[in-house]
Amino acid sequence: QVRLVESGGDSVQPGGSLKLSCTGSTGTVNGYPVAWFRQAPGKEREGVACISVSGVESHYPDSVDGRFTISRDTAANAVYLRMNSLKPEDTAMYYCASVYRYACPDLKVANFEYWGQGTQVTVSS
């Protein structure tokens, strides 16, 4: 089992960038696929990215429109989400999640077991 902690959320203006971090506070994220989800008020939690154990494969839904990049740093026991050209509709609580397997499953909440507590991203002018 791994315990996950997110950081890096902030308030930014439209068009700005943020880099979120997900680390394993207990255990390591290096042996698991890791996904990022977000949830805005009144909305369902939606997946925005996933990276495989190897870090070679990554997956994104159409909703991020090529603006997000997920990456690994195994030495740092971390998975990052780089978000560029942020829009007000990106405002949400962002969570990282993992599951005991090798490759990324479909980006559905039910497919992930381990969750962090979230970090807030707010995009407004």
Side-chain angles (χ1 to χ4, degrees), residues 4-106:
L4 306 176
V5 178
E6 305 95 336
S7 63
D10 206 349
S11 296
V12 298
Q13 294 185 339
S17 298
L18 284 173
K19 184 180 179 181
L20 307 183
S21 177
C22 176
T23 62
S25 63
T26 300
T28 177
V29 300
N30 296 342
Y32 303 84
V34 175
W36 285 94
F37 287 75
R38 66 185 180 186
Q39 188 166 25
K43 293 280 194 175
E44 294 184 357
R45 191 170 298 188
E46 66 167 342
V48 298
C50 188
I51 190 166
S52 65
V53 171
S54 70
V56 173
E57 299 180 44
S58 58
H59 305 272
Y60 310 91
D62 291 342
S63 60
V64 306
D65 197 27
R67 297 175 296 115
F68 294 1
T69 302
I70 190 168
S71 62
R72 282 190 183 272
D73 184 343
T74 57
N77 184 24
V79 170
Y80 304 111
L81 183 69
R82 180 70 180 184
M83 304 184 293
N84 296 322
S85 301
L86 285 163
K87 305 173 181 179
E89 51 262 44
D90 295 318
T91 295
M93 185 73 73
Y94 283 71
Y95 303 87
C96 63
S98 193
V99 66
Y100 185 68
R101 59 177 293 157
Y102 185 84
C104 286
D106 290 344

